[in-house]
Every structure is written in C-alpha cells, then in structure tokens.
Amino acid sequence: MKYMLLIHQGSAPTPYSPEEWARLSEDEQQAVAADYQAINQTPGVSPGLQLQPPESATTVRMEDGRTLTTDGPFVAVKEALGGYLVFEADDLDAAIELASRIPAARMGGAVEVRPIAEW
Amino acid sequence: MVATLEQVFRDEWGRVLAGLIGFLGDFDLAEEAAQEAFAIAAERWPRAGTPANPRAWLVTTARNRAIDRLRRDRTLAAKTRLLDVQEPVEDEMEETTIPDERLELLFTCCHPALALDAQVALTLQTLGGLRTEEIARAFLVPHETMSKRLVRAKRKIKAAGIPFRVPPPHLLPDRLAAVVAVVYLIFNEGYGGRGELAAEAIRLGRVLAELMPDEPEVHGLLSLMLTNDARRAARFADGEVVLLRDQDRSLWDLDQIAAGRAALDRALALGGRGPYVLQAAIAVLHVEEPQDWARLAALYGELARLTASPVVELNRAAALAEAGEVESALALVESLDLDRYHYLHSTRAELLRRLERTDDARAAYRRAVELVHSDAERRFLERRLEELDG
C-alpha cells in the first residue's frame, strides 16, 4: 500500500519563523533536522517537498467565469499543510509508526496518513 | 431443534467469519459467504440432520461459495489473496486445519484508526454475530445510522490497509488495552439494563481469555465482568436502585462469583497489577462478607495512581468513610474537580450527614438531585433527603 503522509505544522516551530525556532535549544534544532533526515532515508519513503509557511499561500476559486483570489490557505493557518512524503508500506500500522517519528507530530503539529488511490 | 441451531450459529459465527476474512482478505466477501453458508445450514440441517462437525461444514460451504463467487467475478479475484491459493479446497475440511483467527479479527475491529463507536459495533457484528438492527437497538441509534457506521468502518479497514493480525510485541500492550476497553464498554452498556449486551461482553471476555491465556489484564477484565454481572438480579428492586449493602444476597449468582474469583486468582498469579486486575480485585472484595474497607481504600488508591481518575478517588473516599475515616474522606471528596458529577454531591452529602452537618448535607443532596439523569437514582436521592428532614 502507498500512503501520503501530510505534515501539518500546527504550532510546531519551523526555521520559517525564526523567533519561535530560536526558542528551541541548539540540540533540539539538530534533533529535528536529524529526525527528518532519518525519515527521508527510511526504506519505502519517497521524500516530498517542504512548503513555505501557510501565510504565503494564495487560494484560488472560479465563480461565474471570474478568478477569485484570497490571501492565505484554504483551511485555517494552523490547519494548513506544511509538507508531505509518500511511504510504501505493508499496512497502516507501519505508516502510523513512521508518522509518529515525524517531529511535527510531537511538537504541536499533526500528521495525517492517507492511502493513495490506486486504480 | 431450532434452539440448538441458533446456539450453534451463535457459537460458530465469529469463528467461521474470522477464518473467512483471514482466507479471503475481504470483510464484505467473507460476510456474504458466511451468511450464505448459515442460510443453507438453517434450511438443510433441520431436514437432513446437523453434520458431525458443524464448524467444518460451515467453513467449507462458505469457502466454496466465496470461490464460486470469485470465479464469476474475475476482477474481484485479482484483488484478493485467493490468487495465492493454488488449489481451492473443495472437500470438507478437517477440524485441525481450520485456524482460529478470532484474535486477528478482534484486533482488527478494535484498531485505533477506527472511531470507538465503530470498534464497538464492528466487534458485536463480526465476533458476536449480532445483526445491525440488534446493535442499533442496543445503542439506541436509528438502524440507518448504525448501518452507515458499519459500512464506513469496513470500507476504511480495506482502503486504509488496517492489518488483519495480532499486533507485534511492541504494539501489543496499547492495542490489547484498546480491545479490553471495547469489551468492557459493551459490558457497561449492558450492565445498565440491556442484559444481552453484558452476556455478549462476557462471551467475548471468555474468548479473549482462552486465546490470550498469559495476559493478566484479560483475566482481570473477565473477573470484573463476571463478578459485577453476578449481582445483576439484586441491583434493582421494583425499578429502584438497591445499594450493594442492602442487596438480597440470595439473588446473587454464586457460581459466577466463584468463576470471577478464579479469573482474578489467575490474573494475580500472572503478576497482573493493571487497571482491570485492580478493578476485579475491588469487585471481588465488594462481594465478600464482612467487607474489608481499609483494603478496598488501598486498592482504590492504587487504581487512582494508575488511572489519575477523580472518579476512582471518589470511590476511595467512600471506602475510607466506611473504614471509619469520615473526616479524611470528606477532605478528599472536597479536593476533587467533579462538580458536574452527581455522585460527588451524593457522596459528600452522605459524609456530611454522618458528621451531623445536616444543613450542608441537605444542600449537597439537592445539588445531586439537580444533576442526576436516571429516574431511579433521582427517587433514591429524594428518599434520602426526606429521611434527613424526617
């Protein structure tokens, strides 16, 4: 089975917000980086991309043929997607275990595990 | 004859279905095949006699039905584990070749990726063999709601890749706790009056104890359910709640109490000291005469440390009071953050009454009456209030 792991930063500090990031000790910062590296090197993982913070998002809709744009993400800033990866695993238990190792999950964010549609 | 057939069905449904899911890798297909096999049996057995080995007959018939169905539907076949099976077994199977996969099924139904209400419903349907409308009635929800809940849960198991297996050792403690919690939740739904659910939970508890004989919490759960259920007939009289100390002991099921005590002994012999073993030890002590309130208070204390539950602390307070420590019991009650819980106020009221602080006791009983939901319990509290005034 293939799963996409959608990483929601929530209140987890990232280097994009230097003030909050600076509140982590140097050891903690290094641990976060090392953990993401270890995740990306786990067999079965296809690393995804990290997104710029949700404040940089523009949301687009079409209404009556007109393009409507709004500033910010589709969902609330706190709920917005921060990054993702794809994991090929035997079952959901394996995907949950990988998700639980993603730093965002323990630092105020959450990881959503979604099976990828296969036809 | 009909009764025995129903009994066989009830006993065999979970086992037959679990084996089929393990074999087919598909809940819906397995359920359909099992239903067909049971329907054929219901039609044929009364006429032609029950086969020597009903389980083997049911499994074989269901497997053959499923295989027929798959042959008709090749695209489905491509998606099931059947492709790995070289020669479908057409002959009646030997008893020993039918693996017992109820445990795999139980862990799948109680997977934490499913909502708790779905775990409960799925467990009752697949292992208990309850029909959707029976489960809906037991949980007081419309048939359609329950049906959707079950369909959604089965769809998720398939789509999300929830594994059909007993979890590996590093996941087992958490996952077993989830299974035990589901069975106990079913029991408590039944303990409030719907007796068939409590009986079903005890049946599941027995299966669990048989399949996981070395897990103390499983024996603790079984002991707890057996012991509490043994007092069912004595808990209500004319629709009124009867407190443990006022219960008519001749209504207790003594054999079941003995079975509960035996399960507790087994749990303790295995070194169990988890929340269910402790609750079982408390339940067993409660039915002993005279009651050892000091030991009960100590067990509640141990349980409270384990669960950090203020409700358990409240029970500890009640035990302390019975052991003669009314003042410290009251201090404990007043330290708890349970203002919306009517038992807090009724317990406090009772302690105040014993300390002869009648006005405070009256106010506390009134607060309890405001919060109580059950009519039987409200009448009980009102009687206590009247006694206070009288």
Side-chain angles (χ1 to χ4, degrees):
Chain A
M1 299 243 348
K2 267 190 188 163
Y3 298 90
M4 184 174 269
L5 274 57
L6 304 157
I7 303 161
H8 301 268
Q9 294 293 346
S11 58
T14 68
Y16 283 120
S17 44
E19 257 175 56
E20 285 168 39
W21 184 247
R23 255 184 261 143
L24 297 181
S25 73
E26 205 161 301
D27 282 353
E28 285 168 325
Q29 291 176 0
Q30 276 170 8
V32 169
D35 286 349
Y36 274 110
Q37 201 181 355
I39 299 268
N40 283 337
Q41 286 167 355
T42 301
V45 169
S46 309
L49 300 166
Q50 190 184 351
L51 308 179
Q52 296 244 13
E55 288 83 353
S56 65
T58 305
T59 300
V60 180
R61 288 179 183 80
M62 289 293 287
E63 227 168 71
D64 301 328
R66 284 187 312 133
T67 305
L68 297 180
T69 58
T70 46
D71 179 21
F74 175 54
V75 295
V77 168
K78 266 202 166 273
E79 295 160 9
L81 191 65
Y84 67 90
L85 60 85
V86 173
F87 184 40
E88 181 144 20
D90 285 343
D91 55 45
L92 183 61
D93 283 349
I96 291 173
E97 280 195 82
L98 185 78
S100 69
R101 284 167 45 207
I102 295 177
R106 63 166 187 267
M107 300 176 78
V111 177
E112 180 178 324
V113 178
R114 286 274 283 276
I116 291 177
E118 284 174 88
W119 305 96
Chain B
M1 184 65 216
V2 175
T4 34
L5 200 59
E6 252 175 44
Q7 192 55 47
V8 172
F9 282 15
R10 206 147 174 72
D11 291 344
E12 294 301 333
W13 173 263
R15 184 120 186 222
V16 169
L17 183 65
L20 286 168
I21 294 170
F23 176 63
L24 298 163
D26 184 296
F27 268 70
D28 288 331
L29 188 59
E31 222 167 7
E32 221 170 276
Q35 264 158 13
E36 273 187 67
F38 278 84
I40 296 169
E43 192 266 325
R44 189 172 299 171
W45 293 3
R47 269 193 299 113
T50 302
N53 186 340
R55 180 184 303 155
W57 189 95
L58 287 164
V59 171
T60 308
T61 307
R63 278 191 180 199
N64 290 341
R65 289 278 144 171
I67 290 164
D68 284 350
R69 167 79 206 274
L70 287 170
R71 283 195 184 127
R72 272 182 273 136
D73 192 350
R74 296 265 165 167
T75 52
L76 201 58
K79 289 179 186 166
T80 70
R81 283 202 247 154
L82 256 191
L83 282 189
D84 305 335
V85 181
Q86 303 209 318
E87 283 290 308
V89 191
E90 299 276 2
D91 302 325
E92 196 157 304
M93 300 169 70
E94 293 293 319
E95 173 77 16
T96 48
T97 60
I98 306 174
D100 187 350
E101 293 180 282
R102 283 176 296 176
L103 210 47
E104 283 83 348
L105 182 54
L106 198 48
F107 277 104
T108 304
C109 291
C110 300
H111 196 281
L114 299 170
L116 186 59
D117 55 8
Q119 295 177 27
V120 167
L122 210 51
T123 301
L124 284 171
Q125 191 188 45
T126 60
L127 284 142
L130 269 68
R131 291 191 308 275
T132 306
E133 65 255 33
E134 291 176 299
I135 306 169
R137 211 178 315 124
F139 287 89
L140 310 172
V141 303
H143 179 264
E144 200 186 332
T145 307
M146 187 52 77
S147 177
K148 275 190 191 149
R149 191 179 289 171
L150 285 160
V151 168
R152 194 179 164 272
K154 282 177 223 165
R155 205 172 283 159
K156 178 161 186 187
I157 288 172
K158 198 172 180 180
I162 291 177
F164 185 75
R165 64 162 186 201
V166 177
H170 69 289
L171 295 177
L172 193 61
D174 280 357
R175 300 286 308 283
L176 180 59
V179 168
V180 167
V182 163
V183 175
Y184 193 47
L185 201 149
I186 293 170
F187 177 77
N188 278 327
E189 283 295 323
Y191 195 54
R194 293 183 290 281
E196 73 277 16
L197 277 187
E200 188 53 47
I202 289 173
R203 226 166 61 88
L204 286 168
R206 286 210 173 96
V207 169
L208 205 50
E210 176 198 326
L211 297 175
M212 303 193 90
D214 298 327
E215 292 290 345
E217 280 290 89
V218 165
H219 296 286
L221 167 73
L222 182 59
S223 167
L224 175 61
M225 294 192 296
L226 287 170
T227 310
N228 282 343
D229 185 69
R231 295 192 288 107
R232 168 183 308 280
R235 279 185 74 225
F236 292 92
D238 306 322
E240 306 292 329
V241 179
V242 183
L243 290 185
L244 181 64
R245 78 176 82 142
D246 301 327
Q247 287 177 4
D248 176 356
R249 290 179 170 237
S250 69
L251 295 174
W252 289 4
D253 182 338
L254 297 181
D255 289 343
Q256 201 172 305
I257 286 174
R261 192 171 287 131
L264 174 64
D265 288 343
R266 172 102 187 112
L268 293 172
L270 288 164
R273 214 68 202 173
Y276 286 88
V277 176
L278 290 174
Q279 287 178 84
I282 288 166
V284 167
L285 266 187
H286 266 306
V287 295
E288 260 160 31
E289 191 68 41
Q291 290 191 330
D292 186 343
W293 289 106
R295 228 175 111 205
L296 274 166
L299 281 169
Y300 276 123
E302 197 177 336
L303 186 59
R305 280 194 295 282
L306 217 56
T307 58
S309 157
V311 174
V312 174
E313 288 285 17
L314 184 59
N315 284 312
R316 181 163 78 93
L320 278 175
E322 293 297 329
E325 296 179 50
V326 184
E327 297 274 1
S328 50
L330 183 63
L332 176 56
V333 168
E334 289 178 343
S335 74
L336 299 174
D337 185 15
L338 279 174
D339 190 54
R340 306 288 314 159
Y341 191 55
H342 69 88
Y343 283 123
L344 178 106
H345 298 285
S346 58
T347 307
R348 185 163 169 269
E350 176 61 24
L351 298 177
L352 290 165
R353 187 189 65 77
R354 286 193 211 177
L355 294 169
E356 290 172 359
R357 289 166 56 183
T358 312
D359 287 344
D360 292 339
R362 197 174 287 123
Y365 270 126
R366 290 211 177 100
R367 177 85 181 120
V369 169
E370 273 171 40
L371 293 168
V372 75
H373 291 295
S374 134
D375 286 340
E377 291 188 88
R378 172 172 303 111
R379 285 195 295 276
F380 171 79
L381 290 170
E382 281 165 351
R383 278 204 309 278
R384 300 296 270 185
L385 251 176
E386 278 165 27
E387 283 164 24
L388 216 53
D389 292 332

